[in-house]
Amino acid sequence: MGKASASYSDSSSYFCWDKDAFYNSMLDLSLGSLTSYHITLINNTVTELQSLHDSILSCDHHPRAGLPLLASPPAPPRRYQPRQPLPGVATKQKKNKNSSFPLKKGKSETITPPYEWATNRRASVHSLDSLYFKNIHEITGDVQCRRCESKYEMGFNLVESFTEVAKFIWENKCEMADRAPDVWMNPTLPTCRYCGQENSVKPVIPRSKKAINWLFLLLGQMLGCCTLDQLRYFCKYRRHHRTGAKDRVLYLTYLNLCKQLDPNGPFDR
Ligand SMILES: [Zn+2]
């Protein structure tokens, strides 16, 4: 955790998305909210260690042979290991999924990436690893003040802002029950740089849906400023069921964008 904290607070060398450090720190904070997957993993490890312990003690040549078992089993490891896809399986599934997706006549599979952090697929952004190699640390977007109507560009630190969103999801996912909470539905907007009005700067969302700056909206936690139609567009191109109410579609959009950034993170539905 020390490594990660230092990296985030030092803007000169801040790009260091240390997944292990982040998720382990989350694990330390919220052992009570472990998923059944993690609990099974830990239980299996304890069982394996216990049986190994038993087999050593049952060996005639072992100096502790015949002695009673230790009072308590060894403490389970408290490290979160992201699930790794089986070689070949994930790629194959993805390919099939994409090839079966129907596109309207005249719509191409690929687009010109509207931002350097976006890919040539609709509603798609590069992963944190890719952005790191592209040397992209700040995500910018256009905003406009509702009071003085000043229009300007602002930016979010990629790792710092993503960490904030990921931490929030990690801590609140169970309570969310597949629906976006109020803070996502009615986001608190940034303060205007020019008139100082709080909760006043709205993101400028382009009419053309393929030009929407999804990553900027995610990092500013302003996806709730999108209309239901815009969010459904995102879910449509991310192959998600998209007929629900806004809170459900918004929830899916948040999780899917986080998953795109960190494919091995805990962002499955
Ligand atoms: Zn203003």
Side-chain angles (χ1 to χ4, degrees), residues 192-211:
C192 177
R193 181 186 296 173
Y194 295 102
C195 72
Q197 180 68 32
E198 290 178 358
N199 191 20
S200 187
V201 174
K202 282 194 83 168
V204 176
I205 300 177
R207 266 190 199 179
S208 167
K209 295 190 190 83
K210 67 181 177 185

Side-chain angles (χ1 to χ4, degrees), residues 25-247:
S25 72
M26 289 301 100
L27 194 60
D28 286 343
L29 288 174
S30 57
L31 271 174
S33 62
L34 284 176
T35 64
S36 55
Y37 169 77
H38 296 118
I39 290 168
T40 309
L41 200 69
I42 290 171
N43 284 343
N44 290 347
T45 310
V46 172
T47 309
E48 278 170 26
L49 287 172
Q50 186 66 54
S51 68
L52 180 68
H53 177 257
D54 290 349
S55 66
I56 291 171
L57 287 185
S58 65
C59 172
D60 288 338
H61 305 297
H62 193 275
R64 283 182 64 87
L67 291 179
L69 287 179
L70 295 174
S72 56
R78 288 173 49 145
R79 290 191 68 80
Y80 170 76
Q81 291 296 327
R83 276 169 280 184
Q84 297 296 324
L86 294 171
V89 173
T91 317
K92 201 175 174 185
Q93 282 174 347
K94 205 174 181 182
K95 198 179 171 186
N96 290 341
K97 234 178 176 183
N98 286 346
S99 60
S100 65
F101 181 65
L103 276 170
K104 271 189 187 170
K105 210 176 177 184
K107 293 240 176 186
S108 63
E109 183 78 19
T110 57
I111 56 169
T112 304
Y115 308 95
E116 53 184 334
W117 44 86
T119 76
N120 64 351
R121 301 263 169 179
R122 295 163 204 272
S124 178
V125 298
H126 288 292
S127 68
L128 287 170
D129 289 344
S130 302
L131 293 172
Y132 169 74
F133 286 113
K134 284 171 172 281
N135 209 26
I136 297 173
H137 309 304
E138 188 184 49
I139 305 302
T140 55
D142 294 329
V143 292
Q144 184 168 26
C145 177
R146 291 190 292 193
R147 185 193 190 199
C148 71
E149 297 190 341
S150 297
K151 221 173 174 182
Y152 59 96
E153 186 183 82
M154 70 177 290
F156 295 109
N157 177 296
L158 175 61
V159 168
E160 277 180 9
S161 301
F162 175 69
T163 303
E164 214 175 289
V165 180
K167 184 171 183 283
F168 181 81
I169 292 174
W170 179 270
E171 290 173 347
N172 298 284
K173 197 168 171 225
C174 292
E175 292 75 43
M176 287 195 232
D178 290 352
R179 288 174 186 272
D182 275 351
V183 285
W184 284 356
M185 288 291 283
N186 302 296
T188 303
L189 301 171
T191 299
C192 177
R193 181 186 296 173
Y194 295 102
C195 72
Q197 180 68 32
E198 290 178 358
N199 191 20
S200 187
V201 174
K202 282 194 83 168
V204 176
I205 300 177
R207 266 190 199 179
S208 167
K209 295 190 190 83
K210 67 181 177 185
I212 293 176
N213 197 348
W214 295 106
L215 185 50
F216 175 74
L217 295 172
L218 171 80
L219 298 181
Q221 300 187 46
M222 299 188 289
L223 285 162
C225 295
C226 291
T227 63
L228 179 58
D229 190 41
Q230 289 161 339
L231 295 170
R232 283 183 173 165
Y233 169 90
F234 178 91
C235 291
K236 173 183 168 186
Y237 284 99
R238 298 310 305 170
R239 283 71 162 161
H240 277 301
H241 186 64
R242 56 185 189 278
T243 54
K246 183 171 177 179
D247 59 354

